[in-house]
Amino acid sequence: MNRPVFKRFGELPRFPAALWLLISCFTASLMFLLFQGGKLASMLFIIITLLSAYLLSGNWSGIKRAQGTRKLANVGQETQIEAGQSLQIGIGVQIPGYWPIPYMMIKDQLIRQNGEETIFEGSIVPDWKRRGELLYSTPPLRRGYYWFGETECLTEDIFGFFQHKGRLELQQSITVYPQTVAIREWAQFHQMLKGMQHHSTTTRAHRETTQINGVREYIYGDRLSRIHWNATAKTGTWKSKEFERESLPKTIILLDRNARAYRDAAEFELAVSVAASLFRYGASRDLALGLLSIGKESTYFEPKQSQNHHKQIIQHLVGVEADGYHSLHQIIKERSREWPAGCFFVLISPQKGSEMIQVIHHLEHLQMNPCHIWVRAKSNHAFKPQGVDMEGNQEDWIKAIRSQGYMGYEVSQLTDLPNLLGGAKRYA
């Protein structure tokens, strides 16, 4: 239904106040020339006309057709950095046209996966070729996925009456991976391997499963059942089946994502960094590692040995958040059927006390080898997380679980992890 016409009567065009002032000055100078005349009126009219022409021509300054590029100085082509690092960013701008531009403001926008926006502003003075570059650095970035929004360019005339804006579409994404440390050796882990009831670690580590992993060249002595007949027929040369090799033990890492368990975001970031560091260690030692991550959505990666599997887990850790509400005991009860008996189970959690002891006993009942990595970031917060006992000596918890024959470590900062796992620091 159309609006009544009488509602529009008497409405004036919505021009900026500066434009109304310019129109008023031009009209006044024209009236002064027509009714008064003379040299003063003529000179004033010419000056006002020239100024008006300059101010109005700014609408064709070329800033709306500006072109630009964004360069990341300290990042490679894959645009990947670790948490805690900064970005060195350069935005180059080329402005077409001839209208004089005294300076230009540039506003860049960096958006995180949770919608958090960071605005960076700066100014440049274009050279005689109407080019300029803005250089700026971001603060240390948190783990997550980032992308750049629209880049806004803004300039004014020399009097500051009118603003002219343009936008650059310089879309680019950044992946900030969890911070990791290099672990030289996990002493207790390998001692556990040697003590398990098998002939030797080496024998079991090279034992083949029934899972076909690919095709390889035929080796003299291969059994007839090993020959891959389809590949042999296609290539015309003898091919054999390649089976996955079994690693001992299969290791599952559970990342506690219960939001109520963590005191602050820094403590959860520490837990994620510990998990990422363990997967980095596992990839370097060809260990079969899996991940159980229960938050709003349930994610489980079976223990496998492959670079692609490792990459998928790290990609998951990039975007993971402390958004879960399930208890550890509930998670293990619901998921225990999916895990092979005899696997090594690592709990990365800030929780301790009777509930954690119950979880560890349940894992032992399932014929698994539990290990608790207790993350406790240094913080002055007085907040007491639900399910976490903050009273007493902090080292008492690790002593308690080790006295029962379980593996346990206390990690208060990421740089301590290599020494803790390497055996440099132990509790009596």
Side-chain angles (χ1 to χ4, degrees):
M1 184 176 180
N2 296 330
R3 294 181 179 179
V5 178
F6 66 86
K7 286 188 177 182
R8 297 189 177 272
F9 288 168
E11 290 186 357
L12 295 174
R14 294 184 178 179
F15 294 142
L19 182 59
W20 282 115
L21 178 61
L22 183 63
I23 293 173
S24 301
C25 292
F26 180 80
T27 304
S29 63
L30 180 60
M31 294 296 102
F32 184 56
L33 176 64
L34 294 177
F35 292 100
Q36 181 67 28
K39 294 181 179 180
L40 178 61
S42 301
M43 186 179 300
L44 184 61
F45 178 75
I46 293 173
I47 293 174
I48 294 296
T49 302
L50 292 176
L51 288 176
S52 300
Y54 163 71
L55 294 174
L56 294 176
S57 63
N59 193 44
W60 296 273
S61 62
I63 197 169
K64 294 181 180 179
R65 295 178 289 115
Q67 299 177 346
T69 57
R70 181 188 289 107
K71 296 180 181 179
L72 307 179
N74 60 336
V75 178
Q77 295 181 352
E78 297 182 354
T79 61
Q80 300 173 355
I81 62 173
E82 277 198 357
Q85 296 181 353
S86 300
L87 284 176
Q88 309 291 330
I89 302 174
I91 298 179
V93 180
Q94 172 73 55
I95 310 164
Y98 302 96
W99 193 79
I101 296 179
Y103 71 95
M104 183 167 63
M105 297 290 297
I106 297 178
K107 184 185 296 184
D108 207 13
Q109 186 181 29
L110 184 62
I111 306 172
R112 195 171 178 267
Q113 62 190 26
N114 59 356
E116 178 183 336
E117 298 181 3
T118 307
I119 305 296
F120 303 94
E121 296 183 355
S123 61
I124 62 172
V125 178
D127 59 16
W128 64 277
K129 291 185 178 180
R130 299 171 69 83
R131 295 180 302 187
E133 184 178 17
L134 174 66
L135 301 174
Y136 69 90
S137 300
T138 67
L141 296 177
R142 295 163 52 200
R143 170 188 55 86
Y145 295 101
Y146 294 80
W147 64 91
F148 289 96
E150 289 185 339
T151 302
E152 184 177 287
C153 302
L154 181 146
T155 188
E156 296 178 338
D157 55 74
I158 59 176
F159 304 105
F161 286 162
F162 297 99
Q163 288 186 347
H164 310 287
K165 296 181 180 180
R167 296 184 183 276
L168 301 176
E169 293 289 344
L170 305 177
Q171 296 182 357
Q172 196 171 9
S173 59
I174 300 290
T175 302
V176 182
Y177 284 88
Q179 191 174 4
T180 60
V181 291
I183 301 172
R184 296 183 300 274
E185 190 74 20
W186 192 347
Q188 268 190 295
F189 176 76
H190 292 287
Q191 288 175 5
M192 181 196 66
L193 290 182
K194 293 178 182 179
M196 296 186 72
Q197 296 177 357
H198 296 279
H199 295 295
S200 68
T201 304
T202 305
T203 302
R204 183 63 183 273
H206 289 81
R207 186 177 298 177
E208 291 181 339
T209 66
T210 58
Q211 184 68 34
I212 298 177
N213 192 33
V215 180
R216 62 168 174 80
E217 295 294 331
Y218 173 80
I219 299 176
Y220 180 77
D222 283 347
R223 290 175 297 177
L224 193 63
S225 60
R226 260 198 104 103
I227 296 176
H228 198 295
W229 296 107
N230 289 338
T232 300
K234 289 180 181 179
T235 60
T237 58
W238 289 101
K239 300 289 183 181
S240 296
K241 300 173 185 176
E242 179 73 23
F243 295 95
E244 288 187 357
R245 297 188 181 275
E246 187 174 1
S247 173
L248 241 195
K250 290 184 181 297
T251 303
I252 297 175
I253 297 175
L254 186 149
L255 177 63
D256 188 358
R257 291 172 53 186
N258 192 323
R260 297 174 296 178
Y262 292 91
R263 293 182 293 179
D264 50 31
E267 195 164 67
F268 180 69
E269 290 301 317
L270 176 60
V272 175
S273 295
V274 169
S277 299
L278 292 180
F279 280 106
R280 177 180 172 181
Y281 173 76
S284 65
R285 296 302 184 94
D286 293 327
L287 300 175
L289 300 182
L291 174 68
L292 178 61
S293 173
I294 306 294
K296 285 184 178 179
E297 298 179 356
S298 174
T299 304
Y300 175 59
F301 295 93
E302 295 183 359
K304 291 182 181 179
Q305 288 176 277
S306 71
Q307 290 296 326
N308 186 46
H309 178 68
H310 175 258
K311 184 181 292 186
Q312 289 178 354
I313 291 177
I314 296 300
Q315 289 288 347
H316 171 76
L317 291 178
V318 170
V320 76
E321 298 288 348
D323 52 9
Y325 54 88
H326 300 283
S327 67
L328 292 179
H329 199 263
Q330 178 184 358
I331 293 171
I332 291 174
K333 275 188 174 180
E334 294 176 354
R335 291 278 178 168
S336 57
R337 295 181 181 179
E338 305 176 20
W339 307 326
C343 71
F344 184 52
F345 203 97
V346 182
L347 296 159
I348 302 177
S349 172
Q351 300 189 52
K352 66 173 185 176
S354 59
E355 182 179 354
M356 183 58 68
I357 287 291
Q358 188 179 5
V359 169
I360 292 175
H361 287 167
H362 186 67
L363 289 172
E364 186 183 33
H365 179 71
L366 296 172
Q367 298 181 348
M368 299 183 187
N369 300 284
C371 170
H372 182 205
I373 297 182
W374 181 41
V375 292
R376 185 181 61 87
K378 295 178 180 179
S379 174
N380 295 324
H381 292 256
F383 171 69
K384 177 180 177 181
Q386 183 172 338
V388 181
D389 181 16
M390 301 297 292
E391 298 178 357
N393 191 344
Q394 302 292 355
E395 296 184 358
D396 289 346
W397 168 246
I398 302 301
K399 289 181 181 179
I401 60 175
R402 286 186 173 180
S403 65
Q404 299 184 40
Y406 304 118
M407 294 172 59
Y409 307 92
E410 176 195 352
V411 181
S412 57
Q413 54 186 7
L414 186 62
T415 53
D416 293 341
L417 187 63
N419 290 333
L420 291 170
L421 300 184
K425 180 180 178 181
R426 293 180 181 274
Y427 294 105

